[in-house]
Amino acid sequence: MLFDNPSDPYKNWLPRDGTVQYYGKLFDQKEADRYFEKLLATIEWRNDEAVIFGRKIITSRKVAWYGDRPFEYTYSNTTKHALPWTAELLALKNRTEKDTGESYNSCLLNLYHNGTEGMAWHSDGESDLKKDGAIASLSFGAVRKFAFKHKTTQEKMEMILEHGSLMVMKGCTQRFWLHRLPPTRLIHTARINLTFRTIVE
Ligand code: MD6
Ligand code: FE
């Protein structure tokens, strides 16, 4: 285990006010490639809409929303319902639950076609998410940098999310830290990210 995967999931990557753990690659190259291709082909990818400075824009990044039940997800005045799990998503959810020791009932997926697509600074503290619940993130495809910024001290932390890897944010992380996927001109291939979450009704 330690030989195969040098990442220590007990290490906290944040200096204060939250917990970020990096489990490294859960899958070998072939298995991770297979998941990437399957997710690309079977997920109902949609262009996301956002309102920026009062204008409705369509993001080039694609998104999808899955869950145990048709949970509502409201975003920029449009309400979406979670789709039922696919076989691959259920397998990945089960693996993630086993490795992190937590359970999840929904998953938000993002598809970034190349490095010009990213995600701006945000935190995932929506009121329908379990308070201080764990959010588990699986990455497939292009290796990208991921960044954190403390909301008051402005401290920064960066990590690399590898193909087939698992990262977890938990505790009070969302209350104290923002995170983003920075855009880069250096990457010309696609990345798929899955964030498993717990919605409370
Ligand atoms: C991404 N991830 O990795 C975007 N949020 O493309 C997130 O915004 C994220 O990775 C909450 C927890 C884990 C994440
Ligand atoms: Fe997020």
Side-chain angles (χ1 to χ4, degrees), residues 112 119 122 124 135 137 146 167 169 179 181 191 193 195 197:
Y112 309 88
M119 193 182 293
H122 69 282
D124 296 75
I135 303 178
S137 161
F146 194 79
M167 181 264 282
M169 294 184 206
H179 55 268
L181 184 76
R191 170 173 178 270
N193 176 253
T195 51
R197 297 139 186 270

Short mmCIF file of all heavy atoms in Angstrom, two decimals, residues 112 119 122 124 135 137 146 167 169 179 181 191 193 195 197, ligand 1:
data_model
loop_
_atom_site.label_atom_id
_atom_site.label_comp_id
_atom_site.label_asym_id
_atom_site.label_seq_id
_atom_site.Cartn_x
_atom_site.Cartn_y
_atom_site.Cartn_z
N TYR A 112 -14.03 19.38 -17.83
CA TYR A 112 -13.23 20.49 -18.34
C TYR A 112 -12.53 19.99 -19.60
O TYR A 112 -11.72 19.07 -19.54
CB TYR A 112 -12.18 20.90 -17.31
CG TYR A 112 -12.74 21.17 -15.91
CD1 TYR A 112 -12.86 20.11 -14.99
CD2 TYR A 112 -13.14 22.44 -15.53
CE1 TYR A 112 -13.36 20.34 -13.71
CE2 TYR A 112 -13.64 22.67 -14.25
CZ TYR A 112 -13.76 21.62 -13.35
OH TYR A 112 -14.25 21.84 -12.07
N MET A 119 -12.50 26.40 -12.61
CA MET A 119 -13.63 26.80 -11.76
C MET A 119 -13.13 27.90 -10.83
O MET A 119 -12.06 27.76 -10.22
CB MET A 119 -14.17 25.61 -10.96
CG MET A 119 -15.51 25.97 -10.32
SD MET A 119 -16.22 24.69 -9.32
CE MET A 119 -16.59 23.46 -10.53
N HIS A 122 -14.58 29.47 -4.84
CA HIS A 122 -15.88 29.27 -4.21
C HIS A 122 -15.70 28.38 -2.99
O HIS A 122 -14.63 27.80 -2.77
CB HIS A 122 -16.87 28.60 -5.19
CG HIS A 122 -16.52 27.17 -5.49
ND1 HIS A 122 -15.52 26.80 -6.36
CD2 HIS A 122 -17.03 26.00 -5.00
CE1 HIS A 122 -15.44 25.50 -6.40
NE2 HIS A 122 -16.33 24.97 -5.58
N ASP A 124 -18.23 25.29 -0.84
CA ASP A 124 -19.45 24.50 -1.01
C ASP A 124 -20.19 24.42 0.32
O ASP A 124 -20.25 23.37 0.93
CB ASP A 124 -19.10 23.11 -1.53
CG ASP A 124 -18.49 23.15 -2.92
OD1 ASP A 124 -17.30 23.54 -3.03
OD2 ASP A 124 -19.18 22.84 -3.88
N ILE A 135 -16.83 16.17 1.74
CA ILE A 135 -17.04 16.16 0.29
C ILE A 135 -15.83 15.45 -0.30
O ILE A 135 -14.69 15.82 -0.03
CB ILE A 135 -17.17 17.58 -0.30
CG1 ILE A 135 -18.31 18.36 0.38
CG2 ILE A 135 -17.41 17.51 -1.81
CD1 ILE A 135 -18.47 19.80 -0.12
N SER A 137 -13.71 14.04 -3.60
CA SER A 137 -13.48 14.44 -4.98
C SER A 137 -12.61 13.42 -5.71
O SER A 137 -11.49 13.14 -5.30
CB SER A 137 -12.79 15.81 -4.94
OG SER A 137 -12.15 16.11 -6.15
N PHE A 146 -4.86 22.37 -8.02
CA PHE A 146 -6.06 22.73 -7.28
C PHE A 146 -5.59 23.65 -6.16
O PHE A 146 -4.57 23.38 -5.52
CB PHE A 146 -6.72 21.46 -6.75
CG PHE A 146 -8.12 21.65 -6.26
CD1 PHE A 146 -9.17 21.72 -7.16
CD2 PHE A 146 -8.39 21.74 -4.90
CE1 PHE A 146 -10.49 21.88 -6.71
CE2 PHE A 146 -9.70 21.90 -4.44
CZ PHE A 146 -10.75 21.97 -5.36
N MET A 167 -9.46 12.99 -3.25
CA MET A 167 -9.16 14.05 -2.29
C MET A 167 -10.42 14.28 -1.47
O MET A 167 -11.53 14.15 -2.00
CB MET A 167 -8.76 15.31 -3.06
CG MET A 167 -8.39 16.50 -2.21
SD MET A 167 -9.75 17.61 -1.97
CE MET A 167 -9.77 18.47 -3.51
N MET A 169 -12.41 16.93 1.44
CA MET A 169 -12.47 18.13 2.28
C MET A 169 -13.49 17.83 3.36
O MET A 169 -14.58 17.34 3.05
CB MET A 169 -13.01 19.33 1.48
CG MET A 169 -12.13 19.81 0.38
SD MET A 169 -12.88 21.29 -0.35
CE MET A 169 -12.18 21.19 -1.98
N HIS A 179 -11.84 27.47 -2.60
CA HIS A 179 -10.99 26.64 -3.45
C HIS A 179 -11.31 26.91 -4.91
O HIS A 179 -12.39 27.44 -5.22
CB HIS A 179 -11.14 25.15 -3.10
CG HIS A 179 -12.53 24.63 -3.14
ND1 HIS A 179 -13.36 24.60 -2.03
CD2 HIS A 179 -13.29 24.14 -4.16
CE1 HIS A 179 -14.53 24.11 -2.36
NE2 HIS A 179 -14.54 23.82 -3.66
N LEU A 181 -10.18 25.67 -9.30
CA LEU A 181 -9.38 24.94 -10.27
C LEU A 181 -8.83 26.01 -11.21
O LEU A 181 -9.57 26.54 -12.04
CB LEU A 181 -10.26 23.94 -11.03
CG LEU A 181 -9.51 23.04 -12.00
CD1 LEU A 181 -8.76 21.94 -11.25
CD2 LEU A 181 -10.45 22.41 -13.02
N ARG A 191 -10.39 16.84 -18.37
CA ARG A 191 -10.41 16.31 -17.00
C ARG A 191 -11.86 16.18 -16.55
O ARG A 191 -12.68 17.06 -16.83
CB ARG A 191 -9.68 17.24 -16.05
CG ARG A 191 -9.86 16.91 -14.57
CD ARG A 191 -8.97 17.79 -13.70
NE ARG A 191 -9.16 17.53 -12.28
CZ ARG A 191 -10.04 18.15 -11.51
NH1 ARG A 191 -10.83 19.08 -12.02
NH2 ARG A 191 -10.14 17.84 -10.23
N ASN A 193 -14.17 15.61 -13.06
CA ASN A 193 -14.14 15.62 -11.60
C ASN A 193 -15.52 15.23 -11.05
O ASN A 193 -16.54 15.66 -11.58
CB ASN A 193 -13.76 17.02 -11.09
CG ASN A 193 -13.82 17.10 -9.58
OD1 ASN A 193 -14.71 17.71 -9.00
ND2 ASN A 193 -12.89 16.45 -8.91
N THR A 195 -17.64 15.15 -7.40
CA THR A 195 -17.65 15.47 -5.97
C THR A 195 -18.87 14.82 -5.33
O THR A 195 -20.01 15.16 -5.64
CB THR A 195 -17.62 16.99 -5.69
OG1 THR A 195 -18.64 17.64 -6.43
CG2 THR A 195 -16.28 17.60 -6.04
N ARG A 197 -21.26 14.19 -2.24
CA ARG A 197 -21.75 15.05 -1.16
C ARG A 197 -22.91 14.40 -0.42
O ARG A 197 -23.50 13.44 -0.92
CB ARG A 197 -22.31 16.35 -1.77
CG ARG A 197 -21.31 17.18 -2.50
CD ARG A 197 -21.88 17.75 -3.77
NE ARG A 197 -20.81 18.42 -4.51
CZ ARG A 197 -20.51 19.71 -4.36
NH1 ARG A 197 -21.24 20.47 -3.59
NH2 ARG A 197 -19.49 20.22 -4.99
C1 MD6 B 1 -12.79 20.31 -9.41
N1 MD6 B 1 -13.86 20.64 -7.31
O1 MD6 B 1 -11.97 19.58 -8.83
C2 MD6 B 1 -13.76 21.14 -8.64
N2 MD6 B 1 -15.46 21.07 -4.16
O2 MD6 B 1 -12.83 20.37 -10.63
C3 MD6 B 1 -14.51 21.26 -6.32
O3 MD6 B 1 -15.03 22.35 -6.48
C4 MD6 B 1 -14.59 20.59 -5.03
O4 MD6 B 1 -12.91 19.00 -5.52
C5 MD6 B 1 -15.63 20.50 -2.96
C6 MD6 B 1 -14.89 19.43 -2.56
C7 MD6 B 1 -13.98 18.89 -3.42
C8 MD6 B 1 -13.81 19.48 -4.68
#
